[in-house]
PDB file of all heavy atoms in Angstrom:
ATOM      1  N   GLY D1272       0.790  -1.230   0.000  1.00 95.00           N
ATOM      2  CA  GLY D1272       0.000   0.000   0.000  1.00 95.00           C
ATOM      3  C   GLY D1272       0.820   1.277   0.000  1.00 95.00           C
ATOM      4  O   GLY D1272       0.265   2.369  -0.161  1.00 95.00           O
ATOM      5  N   GLY D1273       2.118   1.164   0.176  1.00 97.00           N
ATOM      6  CA  GLY D1273       2.971   2.340   0.114  1.00 97.00           C
ATOM      7  C   GLY D1273       2.975   2.939  -1.273  1.00 97.00           C
ATOM      8  O   GLY D1273       2.866   2.219  -2.270  1.00 97.00           O
ATOM      9  N   THR D1274       3.073   4.258  -1.355  1.00 98.00           N
ATOM     10  CA  THR D1274       2.976   4.944  -2.639  1.00 98.00           C
ATOM     11  C   THR D1274       4.207   5.799  -2.921  1.00 98.00           C
ATOM     12  O   THR D1274       4.941   6.200  -2.015  1.00 98.00           O
ATOM     13  CB  THR D1274       1.734   5.836  -2.694  1.00 98.00           C
ATOM     14  OG1 THR D1274       1.789   6.794  -1.629  1.00 98.00           O
ATOM     15  CG2 THR D1274       0.471   5.019  -2.572  1.00 98.00           C
ATOM     16  N   ASN D1275       4.399   6.077  -4.197  1.00 97.00           N
ATOM     17  CA  ASN D1275       5.501   6.922  -4.656  1.00 97.00           C
ATOM     18  C   ASN D1275       4.996   7.695  -5.870  1.00 97.00           C
ATOM     19  O   ASN D1275       4.261   7.133  -6.701  1.00 97.00           O
ATOM     20  CB  ASN D1275       6.705   6.062  -5.028  1.00 97.00           C
ATOM     21  CG  ASN D1275       7.912   6.889  -5.387  1.00 97.00           C
ATOM     22  OD1 ASN D1275       8.176   7.909  -4.769  1.00 97.00           O
ATOM     23  ND2 ASN D1275       8.644   6.459  -6.404  1.00 97.00           N
ATOM     24  N   TYR D1276       5.386   8.964  -5.963  1.00 98.00           N
ATOM     25  CA  TYR D1276       4.913   9.814  -7.053  1.00 98.00           C
ATOM     26  C   TYR D1276       6.066  10.547  -7.714  1.00 98.00           C
ATOM     27  O   TYR D1276       7.056  10.902  -7.061  1.00 98.00           O
ATOM     28  CB  TYR D1276       3.923  10.861  -6.531  1.00 98.00           C
ATOM     29  CG  TYR D1276       2.649  10.294  -5.986  1.00 98.00           C
ATOM     30  CD1 TYR D1276       2.521   9.994  -4.632  1.00 98.00           C
ATOM     31  CD2 TYR D1276       1.559  10.060  -6.818  1.00 98.00           C
ATOM     32  CE1 TYR D1276       1.341   9.465  -4.119  1.00 98.00           C
ATOM     33  CE2 TYR D1276       0.377   9.538  -6.315  1.00 98.00           C
ATOM     34  CZ  TYR D1276       0.276   9.236  -4.967  1.00 98.00           C
ATOM     35  OH  TYR D1276      -0.890   8.721  -4.473  1.00 98.00           O
ATOM     36  N   ALA D1277       5.906  10.819  -8.996  1.00 98.00           N
ATOM     37  CA  ALA D1277       6.821  11.734  -9.669  1.00 98.00           C
ATOM     38  C   ALA D1277       6.620  13.129  -9.090  1.00 98.00           C
ATOM     39  O   ALA D1277       5.494  13.512  -8.747  1.00 98.00           O
ATOM     40  CB  ALA D1277       6.550  11.745 -11.166  1.00 98.00           C
ATOM     41  N   ASP D1278       7.705  13.880  -9.001  1.00 98.00           N
ATOM     42  CA  ASP D1278       7.609  15.239  -8.454  1.00 98.00           C
ATOM     43  C   ASP D1278       6.604  16.079  -9.231  1.00 98.00           C
ATOM     44  O   ASP D1278       5.905  16.922  -8.656  1.00 98.00           O
ATOM     45  CB  ASP D1278       8.980  15.921  -8.489  1.00 98.00           C
ATOM     46  CG  ASP D1278       9.953  15.355  -7.478  1.00 98.00           C
ATOM     47  OD1 ASP D1278       9.498  14.646  -6.543  1.00 98.00           O
ATOM     48  OD2 ASP D1278      11.157  15.593  -7.607  1.00 98.00           O
ATOM     49  N   SER D1279       6.503  15.839 -10.532  1.00 97.00           N
ATOM     50  CA  SER D1279       5.660  16.671 -11.390  1.00 97.00           C
ATOM     51  C   SER D1279       4.167  16.472 -11.127  1.00 97.00           C
ATOM     52  O   SER D1279       3.358  17.312 -11.527  1.00 97.00           O
ATOM     53  CB  SER D1279       5.957  16.375 -12.859  1.00 97.00           C
ATOM     54  OG  SER D1279       5.724  15.008 -13.149  1.00 97.00           O
ATOM     55  N   VAL D1280       3.799  15.389 -10.467  1.00 98.00           N
ATOM     56  CA  VAL D1280       2.372  15.118 -10.215  1.00 98.00           C
ATOM     57  C   VAL D1280       2.033  15.132  -8.732  1.00 98.00           C
ATOM     58  O   VAL D1280       0.852  15.007  -8.375  1.00 98.00           O
ATOM     59  CB  VAL D1280       1.932  13.783 -10.845  1.00 98.00           C
ATOM     60  CG1 VAL D1280       2.316  13.719 -12.313  1.00 98.00           C
ATOM     61  CG2 VAL D1280       2.498  12.589 -10.089  1.00 98.00           C
ATOM     62  N   LEU D1281       3.031  15.274  -7.884  1.00 98.00           N
ATOM     63  CA  LEU D1281       2.812  15.240  -6.438  1.00 98.00           C
ATOM     64  C   LEU D1281       1.819  16.318  -6.029  1.00 98.00           C
ATOM     65  O   LEU D1281       1.952  17.477  -6.416  1.00 98.00           O
ATOM     66  CB  LEU D1281       4.145  15.434  -5.723  1.00 98.00           C
ATOM     67  CG  LEU D1281       4.225  15.067  -4.250  1.00 98.00           C
ATOM     68  CD1 LEU D1281       3.915  13.589  -4.050  1.00 98.00           C
ATOM     69  CD2 LEU D1281       5.607  15.405  -3.694  1.00 98.00           C
ATOM     70  N   GLY D1282       0.814  15.909  -5.273  1.00 97.00           N
ATOM     71  CA  GLY D1282      -0.213  16.836  -4.835  1.00 97.00           C
ATOM     72  C   GLY D1282      -1.381  16.960  -5.791  1.00 97.00           C
ATOM     73  O   GLY D1282      -2.420  17.526  -5.430  1.00 97.00           O
ATOM     74  N   ARG D1283      -1.221  16.447  -7.004  1.00 98.00           N
ATOM     75  CA  ARG D1283      -2.311  16.511  -7.994  1.00 98.00           C
ATOM     76  C   ARG D1283      -2.883  15.131  -8.315  1.00 98.00           C
ATOM     77  O   ARG D1283      -4.070  15.012  -8.613  1.00 98.00           O
ATOM     78  CB  ARG D1283      -1.810  17.154  -9.292  1.00 98.00           C
ATOM     79  CG  ARG D1283      -1.288  18.562  -9.130  1.00 98.00           C
ATOM     80  CD  ARG D1283      -0.989  19.204 -10.486  1.00 98.00           C
ATOM     81  NE  ARG D1283       0.073  18.500 -11.202  1.00 98.00           N
ATOM     82  CZ  ARG D1283      -0.072  18.001 -12.438  1.00 98.00           C
ATOM     83  NH1 ARG D1283      -1.230  18.099 -13.072  1.00 98.00           N
ATOM     84  NH2 ARG D1283       0.953  17.396 -13.035  1.00 98.00           N
ATOM     85  N   PHE D1284      -2.041  14.111  -8.290  1.00 98.00           N
ATOM     86  CA  PHE D1284      -2.448  12.746  -8.628  1.00 98.00           C
ATOM     87  C   PHE D1284      -2.471  11.891  -7.360  1.00 98.00           C
ATOM     88  O   PHE D1284      -1.624  12.059  -6.469  1.00 98.00           O
ATOM     89  CB  PHE D1284      -1.482  12.111  -9.613  1.00 98.00           C
ATOM     90  CG  PHE D1284      -1.506  12.688 -11.011  1.00 98.00           C
ATOM     91  CD1 PHE D1284      -2.127  13.890 -11.301  1.00 98.00           C
ATOM     92  CD2 PHE D1284      -0.882  12.002 -12.045  1.00 98.00           C
ATOM     93  CE1 PHE D1284      -2.139  14.410 -12.571  1.00 98.00           C
ATOM     94  CE2 PHE D1284      -0.890  12.508 -13.337  1.00 98.00           C
ATOM     95  CZ  PHE D1284      -1.521  13.717 -13.601  1.00 98.00           C
ATOM     96  N   THR D1285      -3.409  10.952  -7.318  1.00 98.00           N
ATOM     97  CA  THR D1285      -3.496  10.005  -6.212  1.00 98.00           C
ATOM     98  C   THR D1285      -3.699   8.607  -6.765  1.00 98.00           C
ATOM     99  O   THR D1285      -4.662   8.368  -7.505  1.00 98.00           O
ATOM    100  CB  THR D1285      -4.654  10.354  -5.268  1.00 98.00           C
ATOM    101  OG1 THR D1285      -4.492  11.691  -4.779  1.00 98.00           O
ATOM    102  CG2 THR D1285      -4.683   9.383  -4.091  1.00 98.00           C
ATOM    103  N   ILE D1286      -2.811   7.696  -6.404  1.00 98.00           N
ATOM    104  CA  ILE D1286      -2.931   6.312  -6.839  1.00 98.00           C
ATOM    105  C   ILE D1286      -3.576   5.484  -5.736  1.00 98.00           C
ATOM    106  O   ILE D1286      -3.361   5.742  -4.543  1.00 98.00           O
ATOM    107  CB  ILE D1286      -1.543   5.733  -7.230  1.00 98.00           C
ATOM    108  CG1 ILE D1286      -1.691   4.375  -7.928  1.00 98.00           C
ATOM    109  CG2 ILE D1286      -0.610   5.638  -6.024  1.00 98.00           C
ATOM    110  CD1 ILE D1286      -0.397   3.875  -8.559  1.00 98.00           C
ATOM    111  N   SER D1287      -4.376   4.508  -6.133  1.00 98.00           N
ATOM    112  CA  SER D1287      -5.018   3.614  -5.170  1.00 98.00           C
ATOM    113  C   SER D1287      -5.218   2.258  -5.824  1.00 98.00           C
ATOM    114  O   SER D1287      -5.094   2.126  -7.045  1.00 98.00           O
ATOM    115  CB  SER D1287      -6.352   4.196  -4.696  1.00 98.00           C
ATOM    116  OG  SER D1287      -7.244   4.371  -5.789  1.00 98.00           O
ATOM    117  N   ARG D1288      -5.525   1.270  -5.003  1.00 98.00           N
ATOM    118  CA  ARG D1288      -5.742  -0.075  -5.527  1.00 98.00           C
ATOM    119  C   ARG D1288      -6.884  -0.742  -4.784  1.00 98.00           C
ATOM    120  O   ARG D1288      -7.151  -0.442  -3.620  1.00 98.00           O
ATOM    121  CB  ARG D1288      -4.472  -0.913  -5.435  1.00 98.00           C
ATOM    122  CG  ARG D1288      -3.978  -1.189  -4.033  1.00 98.00           C
ATOM    123  CD  ARG D1288      -2.568  -1.826  -4.049  1.00 98.00           C
ATOM    124  NE  ARG D1288      -2.589  -3.157  -4.630  1.00 98.00           N
ATOM    125  CZ  ARG D1288      -1.501  -3.771  -5.110  1.00 98.00           C
ATOM    126  NH1 ARG D1288      -0.331  -3.159  -5.082  1.00 98.00           N
ATOM    127  NH2 ARG D1288      -1.593  -4.987  -5.605  1.00 98.00           N
ATOM    128  N   ASP D1289      -7.533  -1.663  -5.473  1.00 98.00           N
ATOM    129  CA  ASP D1289      -8.589  -2.498  -4.895  1.00 98.00           C
ATOM    130  C   ASP D1289      -8.207  -3.938  -5.175  1.00 98.00           C
ATOM    131  O   ASP D1289      -8.413  -4.440  -6.283  1.00 98.00           O
ATOM    132  CB  ASP D1289      -9.936  -2.135  -5.526  1.00 98.00           C
ATOM    133  CG  ASP D1289     -11.098  -2.869  -4.885  1.00 98.00           C
ATOM    134  OD1 ASP D1289     -10.884  -3.999  -4.376  1.00 98.00           O
ATOM    135  OD2 ASP D1289     -12.218  -2.361  -4.923  1.00 98.00           O
ATOM    136  N   ASN D1290      -7.633  -4.590  -4.193  1.00 98.00           N
ATOM    137  CA  ASN D1290      -7.136  -5.955  -4.406  1.00 98.00           C
ATOM    138  C   ASN D1290      -8.272  -6.929  -4.708  1.00 98.00           C
ATOM    139  O   ASN D1290      -8.086  -7.879  -5.476  1.00 98.00           O
ATOM    140  CB  ASN D1290      -6.343  -6.417  -3.193  1.00 98.00           C
ATOM    141  CG  ASN D1290      -4.989  -5.749  -3.087  1.00 98.00           C
ATOM    142  OD1 ASN D1290      -4.478  -5.170  -4.047  1.00 98.00           O
ATOM    143  ND2 ASN D1290      -4.395  -5.802  -1.901  1.00 98.00           N
ATOM    144  N   ALA D1291      -9.420  -6.715  -4.114  1.00 97.00           N
ATOM    145  CA  ALA D1291     -10.552  -7.622  -4.345  1.00 97.00           C
ATOM    146  C   ALA D1291     -11.000  -7.577  -5.802  1.00 97.00           C
ATOM    147  O   ALA D1291     -11.394  -8.593  -6.376  1.00 97.00           O
ATOM    148  CB  ALA D1291     -11.710  -7.264  -3.430  1.00 97.00           C
ATOM    149  N   LYS D1292     -10.946  -6.399  -6.408  1.00 98.00           N
ATOM    150  CA  LYS D1292     -11.358  -6.241  -7.806  1.00 98.00           C
ATOM    151  C   LYS D1292     -10.194  -6.358  -8.772  1.00 98.00           C
ATOM    152  O   LYS D1292     -10.399  -6.291  -9.985  1.00 98.00           O
ATOM    153  CB  LYS D1292     -12.058  -4.896  -7.988  1.00 98.00           C
ATOM    154  CG  LYS D1292     -13.365  -4.766  -7.237  1.00 98.00           C
ATOM    155  CD  LYS D1292     -14.023  -3.419  -7.509  1.00 98.00           C
ATOM    156  CE  LYS D1292     -15.354  -3.315  -6.784  1.00 98.00           C
ATOM    157  NZ  LYS D1292     -16.008  -1.994  -7.022  1.00 98.00           N
ATOM    158  N   LYS D1293      -8.989  -6.504  -8.237  1.00 98.00           N
ATOM    159  CA  LYS D1293      -7.783  -6.573  -9.071  1.00 98.00           C
ATOM    160  C   LYS D1293      -7.670  -5.328  -9.951  1.00 98.00           C
ATOM    161  O   LYS D1293      -7.446  -5.421 -11.166  1.00 98.00           O
ATOM    162  CB  LYS D1293      -7.771  -7.840  -9.928  1.00 98.00           C
ATOM    163  CG  LYS D1293      -7.673  -9.121  -9.119  1.00 98.00           C
ATOM    164  CD  LYS D1293      -7.468 -10.327 -10.020  1.00 98.00           C
ATOM    165  CE  LYS D1293      -7.271 -11.597  -9.219  1.00 98.00           C
ATOM    166  NZ  LYS D1293      -7.013 -12.779 -10.085  1.00 98.00           N
ATOM    167  N   MET D1294      -7.811  -4.193  -9.327  1.00 98.00           N
ATOM    168  CA  MET D1294      -7.761  -2.936 -10.074  1.00 98.00           C
ATOM    169  C   MET D1294      -6.853  -1.919  -9.378  1.00 98.00           C
ATOM    170  O   MET D1294      -6.730  -1.914  -8.151  1.00 98.00           O
ATOM    171  CB  MET D1294      -9.160  -2.338 -10.237  1.00 98.00           C
ATOM    172  CG  MET D1294     -10.094  -3.203 -11.064  1.00 98.00           C
ATOM    173  SD  MET D1294     -11.659  -2.423 -11.410  1.00 98.00           S
ATOM    174  CE  MET D1294     -11.173  -1.211 -12.637  1.00 98.00           C
ATOM    175  N   VAL D1295      -6.255  -1.075 -10.205  1.00 98.00           N
ATOM    176  CA  VAL D1295      -5.481   0.055  -9.709  1.00 98.00           C
ATOM    177  C   VAL D1295      -6.000   1.303 -10.412  1.00 98.00           C
ATOM    178  O   VAL D1295      -6.387   1.249 -11.584  1.00 98.00           O
ATOM    179  CB  VAL D1295      -3.969  -0.146  -9.923  1.00 98.00           C
ATOM    180  CG1 VAL D1295      -3.621  -0.288 -11.396  1.00 98.00           C
ATOM    181  CG2 VAL D1295      -3.170   0.957  -9.270  1.00 98.00           C
ATOM    182  N   PHE D1296      -5.992   2.400  -9.676  1.00 98.00           N
ATOM    183  CA  PHE D1296      -6.566   3.647 -10.173  1.00 98.00           C
ATOM    184  C   PHE D1296      -5.561   4.784  -9.986  1.00 98.00           C
ATOM    185  O   PHE D1296      -4.702   4.731  -9.108  1.00 98.00           O
ATOM    186  CB  PHE D1296      -7.831   4.001  -9.401  1.00 98.00           C
ATOM    187  CG  PHE D1296      -8.812   2.886  -9.283  1.00 98.00           C
ATOM    188  CD1 PHE D1296      -8.810   2.056  -8.163  1.00 98.00           C
ATOM    189  CD2 PHE D1296      -9.746   2.643 -10.278  1.00 98.00           C
ATOM    190  CE1 PHE D1296      -9.716   1.009  -8.034  1.00 98.00           C
ATOM    191  CE2 PHE D1296     -10.655   1.604 -10.165  1.00 98.00           C
ATOM    192  CZ  PHE D1296     -10.636   0.782  -9.040  1.00 98.00           C
ATOM    193  N   VAL D1297      -5.728   5.807 -10.802  1.00 98.00           N
ATOM    194  CA  VAL D1297      -5.034   7.057 -10.522  1.00 98.00           C
ATOM    195  C   VAL D1297      -6.028   8.202 -10.761  1.00 98.00           C
ATOM    196  O   VAL D1297      -6.589   8.332 -11.839  1.00 98.00           O
ATOM    197  CB  VAL D1297      -3.743   7.220 -11.340  1.00 98.00           C
ATOM    198  CG1 VAL D1297      -3.992   7.231 -12.825  1.00 98.00           C
ATOM    199  CG2 VAL D1297      -2.979   8.465 -10.897  1.00 98.00           C
ATOM    200  N   GLN D1298      -6.263   8.948  -9.706  1.00 98.00           N
ATOM    201  CA  GLN D1298      -7.104  10.140  -9.781  1.00 98.00           C
ATOM    202  C   GLN D1298      -6.196  11.310 -10.139  1.00 98.00           C
ATOM    203  O   GLN D1298      -5.223  11.584  -9.413  1.00 98.00           O
ATOM    204  CB  GLN D1298      -7.793  10.394  -8.455  1.00 98.00           C
ATOM    205  CG  GLN D1298      -8.619  11.674  -8.408  1.00 98.00           C
ATOM    206  CD  GLN D1298      -9.819  11.625  -9.321  1.00 98.00           C
ATOM    207  OE1 GLN D1298     -10.509  10.612  -9.406  1.00 98.00           O
ATOM    208  NE2 GLN D1298     -10.080  12.729 -10.020  1.00 98.00           N
ATOM    209  N   MET D1299      -6.507  11.980 -11.238  1.00 98.00           N
ATOM    210  CA  MET D1299      -5.658  13.057 -11.726  1.00 98.00           C
ATOM    211  C   MET D1299      -6.446  14.363 -11.684  1.00 98.00           C
ATOM    212  O   MET D1299      -7.454  14.499 -12.393  1.00 98.00           O
ATOM    213  CB  MET D1299      -5.189  12.750 -13.153  1.00 98.00           C
ATOM    214  CG  MET D1299      -4.513  11.396 -13.285  1.00 98.00           C
ATOM    215  SD  MET D1299      -3.794  11.104 -14.919  1.00 98.00           S
ATOM    216  CE  MET D1299      -5.252  11.141 -15.946  1.00 98.00           C
ATOM    217  N   ASN D1300      -6.008  15.278 -10.855  1.00 98.00           N
ATOM    218  CA  ASN D1300      -6.666  16.564 -10.695  1.00 98.00           C
ATOM    219  C   ASN D1300      -5.763  17.692 -11.185  1.00 98.00           C
ATOM    220  O   ASN D1300      -4.544  17.523 -11.298  1.00 98.00           O
ATOM    221  CB  ASN D1300      -7.027  16.796  -9.224  1.00 98.00           C
ATOM    222  CG  ASN D1300      -8.003  15.770  -8.692  1.00 98.00           C
ATOM    223  OD1 ASN D1300      -8.855  15.263  -9.421  1.00 98.00           O
ATOM    224  ND2 ASN D1300      -7.878  15.459  -7.411  1.00 98.00           N
ATOM    225  N   ASN D1301      -6.391  18.842 -11.443  1.00 98.00           N
ATOM    226  CA  ASN D1301      -5.640  20.016 -11.897  1.00 98.00           C
ATOM    227  C   ASN D1301      -4.702  19.660 -13.050  1.00 98.00           C
ATOM    228  O   ASN D1301      -3.505  19.977 -13.020  1.00 98.00           O
ATOM    229  CB  ASN D1301      -4.862  20.632 -10.741  1.00 98.00           C
ATOM    230  CG  ASN D1301      -4.269  21.987 -11.076  1.00 98.00           C
ATOM    231  OD1 ASN D1301      -4.736  22.673 -11.990  1.00 98.00           O
ATOM    232  ND2 ASN D1301      -3.224  22.375 -10.356  1.00 98.00           N
ATOM    233  N   LEU D1302      -5.252  19.015 -14.042  1.00 98.00           N
ATOM    234  CA  LEU D1302      -4.434  18.545 -15.167  1.00 98.00           C
ATOM    235  C   LEU D1302      -3.869  19.718 -15.956  1.00 98.00           C
ATOM    236  O   LEU D1302      -4.509  20.770 -16.103  1.00 98.00           O
ATOM    237  CB  LEU D1302      -5.259  17.632 -16.068  1.00 98.00           C
ATOM    238  CG  LEU D1302      -5.440  16.214 -15.511  1.00 98.00           C
ATOM    239  CD1 LEU D1302      -6.622  15.521 -16.152  1.00 98.00           C
ATOM    240  CD2 LEU D1302      -4.174  15.409 -15.695  1.00 98.00           C
ATOM    241  N   LYS D1303      -2.671  19.505 -16.472  1.00 98.00           N
ATOM    242  CA  LYS D1303      -1.947  20.511 -17.228  1.00 98.00           C
ATOM    243  C   LYS D1303      -1.648  19.986 -18.629  1.00 98.00           C
ATOM    244  O   LYS D1303      -1.581  18.769 -18.827  1.00 98.00           O
ATOM    245  CB  LYS D1303      -0.637  20.852 -16.522  1.00 98.00           C
ATOM    246  CG  LYS D1303      -0.812  21.302 -15.082  1.00 98.00           C
ATOM    247  CD  LYS D1303       0.537  21.508 -14.410  1.00 98.00           C
ATOM    248  CE  LYS D1303       0.372  21.951 -12.959  1.00 98.00           C
ATOM    249  NZ  LYS D1303       1.685  22.170 -12.295  1.00 98.00           N
ATOM    250  N   PRO D1304      -1.436  20.876 -19.588  1.00 97.00           N
ATOM    251  CA  PRO D1304      -1.113  20.397 -20.943  1.00 97.00           C
ATOM    252  C   PRO D1304       0.087  19.463 -20.971  1.00 97.00           C
ATOM    253  O   PRO D1304       0.120  18.523 -21.776  1.00 97.00           O
ATOM    254  CB  PRO D1304      -0.826  21.705 -21.696  1.00 97.00           C
ATOM    255  CG  PRO D1304      -1.667  22.725 -21.007  1.00 97.00           C
ATOM    256  CD  PRO D1304      -1.628  22.335 -19.554  1.00 97.00           C
ATOM    257  N   GLU D1305       1.036  19.674 -20.077  1.00 96.00           N
ATOM    258  CA  GLU D1305       2.222  18.809 -20.054  1.00 96.00           C
ATOM    259  C   GLU D1305       1.930  17.412 -19.506  1.00 96.00           C
ATOM    260  O   GLU D1305       2.797  16.539 -19.531  1.00 96.00           O
ATOM    261  CB  GLU D1305       3.359  19.453 -19.251  1.00 96.00           C
ATOM    262  CG  GLU D1305       2.975  19.923 -17.863  1.00 96.00           C
ATOM    263  CD  GLU D1305       2.632  21.408 -17.834  1.00 96.00           C
ATOM    264  OE1 GLU D1305       1.950  21.896 -18.770  1.00 96.00           O
ATOM    265  OE2 GLU D1305       3.027  22.071 -16.844  1.00 96.00           O
ATOM    266  N   ASP D1306       0.715  17.178 -19.021  1.00 98.00           N
ATOM    267  CA  ASP D1306       0.310  15.830 -18.609  1.00 98.00           C
ATOM    268  C   ASP D1306      -0.167  14.999 -19.795  1.00 98.00           C
ATOM    269  O   ASP D1306      -0.437  13.805 -19.649  1.00 98.00           O
ATOM    270  CB  ASP D1306      -0.810  15.900 -17.567  1.00 98.00           C
ATOM    271  CG  ASP D1306      -0.378  16.530 -16.265  1.00 98.00           C
ATOM    272  OD1 ASP D1306       0.734  16.212 -15.789  1.00 98.00           O
ATOM    273  OD2 ASP D1306      -1.152  17.342 -15.710  1.00 98.00           O
TER     274      ASP D1306
END
């Protein structure tokens, strides 16, 4: 469950996982053209 982020997305993106559903997600907020 430990997480790591690129500096360029820190504070804007959040990664999570659901082991029961075998899924991983990334919530991306305040998106920029460079994303």
Side-chain angles (χ1 to χ4, degrees):
T1274 58
N1275 185 39
Y1276 295 92
D1278 289 344
S1279 59
V1280 308
L1281 196 61
R1283 300 188 297 124
F1284 290 14
T1285 303
I1286 190 169
S1287 60
R1288 64 190 293 160
D1289 185 331
N1290 287 343
K1292 295 182 178 179
K1293 295 188 176 182
M1294 296 187 73
V1295 61
F1296 310 94
V1297 61
Q1298 176 67 42
M1299 306 186 297
N1300 298 328
N1301 191 22
L1302 283 160
K1303 304 175 180 181
E1305 52 264 41
D1306 295 317

